[in-house]
Amino acid sequence: MRLPSLPKRFHTASVWALYALGLTPALWTFYLGATGQLVGNPVKIFEHLLGDWALRLLILTLMISPLRDLFGINWVRYRRALGLLAFYYVAMHFLTYMVLDKRLALDVIIEDIIKRWFITIGMAAFVALIPLALTSNRWSVRKLGPGWLKLHRLIYPIAAAGALHYCLSVKVIGPEQLIYAGLVTLLLGWRLARPRYMARKRATGRRPVRVTGMV
Ligand code: HEM
């Protein structure tokens, strides 16, 4: 069964729509917080929402390849937007932590990054995402050649670090953390199994789907 595909003339618009849709949870929750409509601790609610969406978007970015390889659903045109949205969410999550949560108390922030393991891991994932975000453009793909693909494979350890950061941020690991960690594990497993699967597909004469990048 094939999904009906979007006419080509709507491709660019659909990518912009994805950016707008992707940024909506952050903008809406910020608005609710700024107008006093968030019950409880608005800063924590906002910080957590940004972290949750960062992880969801990393997972969605990683799902694009298996969706195409396994089910023939080609949403590769959305991968860059999803990856960049994940980066924007991590950056907003980090800024919220620094500015709204810790009120720019640099000594506390540095101590947290050094001493609290889950924050050390989150920070490492954020730093590793920066070169990926900076090279998510056609010019960099051309300039870096095969190195681009190698660099962008960092998205796998980054997503794993994000899931670990989430698991370590809670006192008791519950179903939500297990679901996210399970999804990331499955996607990493797929990455390892993919070459054999594609080779078998080629051997049985089914047309393999060409991969041009993981992000
Ligand atoms: C790829 C990078 C990151 C991802 C995917 C991520 C994701 C998350 C997630 C999913 C949560 C839990 C939200 C919830 O409980 O609903 C969280 C919490 C948190 N993250 Fe991150 N994060 C990342 C990087 C960072 C960085 C760079 C920092 C700061 C240096 C940071 C600081 C925190 C803090 C302080 C919490 C809240 C802990 C608490 O008070 O319960 N994170 N993050």
Side-chain angles (χ1 to χ4, degrees):
M1 191 193 78
R2 281 192 84 79
L3 286 179
S5 60
L6 198 66
K8 213 166 172 211
R9 64 181 185 282
F10 294 129
H11 282 183
T12 308
S14 68
V15 173
W16 285 111
L18 177 60
Y19 277 113
L21 193 71
L23 289 170
T24 305
L27 296 175
W28 180 243
T29 312
F30 184 81
Y31 165 77
L32 291 180
T35 51
Q37 296 182 68
L38 287 181
V39 184
N41 182 338
V43 170
K44 277 286 163 200
I45 294 172
F46 189 51
E47 189 176 79
H48 285 198
L49 170 117
L50 295 171
D52 289 341
W53 274 101
L55 192 53
R56 283 175 199 148
L57 286 157
L58 281 172
I59 290 172
L60 287 173
T61 309
L62 292 186
M63 282 172 72
I64 297 290
S65 275
L67 276 180
R68 186 180 54 173
D69 296 338
L70 294 170
F71 307 109
I73 300 171
N74 192 342
W75 284 342
V76 173
R77 76 184 79 97
Y78 302 118
R79 189 160 49 189
R80 181 185 300 168
L82 289 170
L84 282 173
L85 280 166
F87 172 74
Y88 299 150
Y89 269 89
V90 179
M92 289 189 282
H93 180 59
F94 176 60
L95 277 177
T96 304
Y97 160 79
M98 282 221 318
V99 181
L100 300 178
D101 191 354
K102 299 297 170 197
R103 297 182 177 271
L104 288 176
L106 286 182
D107 49 341
V108 180
I109 294 168
I110 291 168
E111 197 176 316
D112 260 4
I113 294 175
I114 295 172
K115 290 200 177 150
R116 296 175 78 189
W117 269 103
F118 87 95
I119 296 193
T120 315
I121 293 168
M123 193 65 206
F126 175 45
V127 170
L129 260 179
I130 295 171
L132 270 64
L134 290 177
T135 56
S136 282
N137 52 66
R138 277 190 202 147
W139 183 81
S140 300
V141 177
R142 268 199 313 274
K143 201 83 190 148
L144 296 177
W148 186 90
L149 201 56
K150 275 195 195 141
L151 175 67
H152 280 250
R153 287 203 177 119
L154 270 180
I155 194 75
Y156 288 93
I158 290 171
L164 185 61
H165 164 80
Y166 185 19
C167 292
L168 295 177
S169 76
V170 291
K171 286 200 182 82
V172 181
I173 293 181
E176 278 194 37
Q177 289 78 25
L178 286 177
I179 290 171
Y180 284 108
L183 281 173
V184 172
T185 309
L186 269 180
L187 289 160
L188 290 175
W190 165 249
R191 177 74 199 106
L192 296 176
R194 185 180 186 276
R196 280 178 67 184
Y197 172 82
M198 296 310 276
R200 244 206 3 242
K201 217 171 168 183
R202 252 179 251 122
T204 54
R206 283 150 73 196
R207 229 180 89 234
V209 190
R210 221 169 72 85
V211 165
T212 52
M214 301 314 300
V215 179

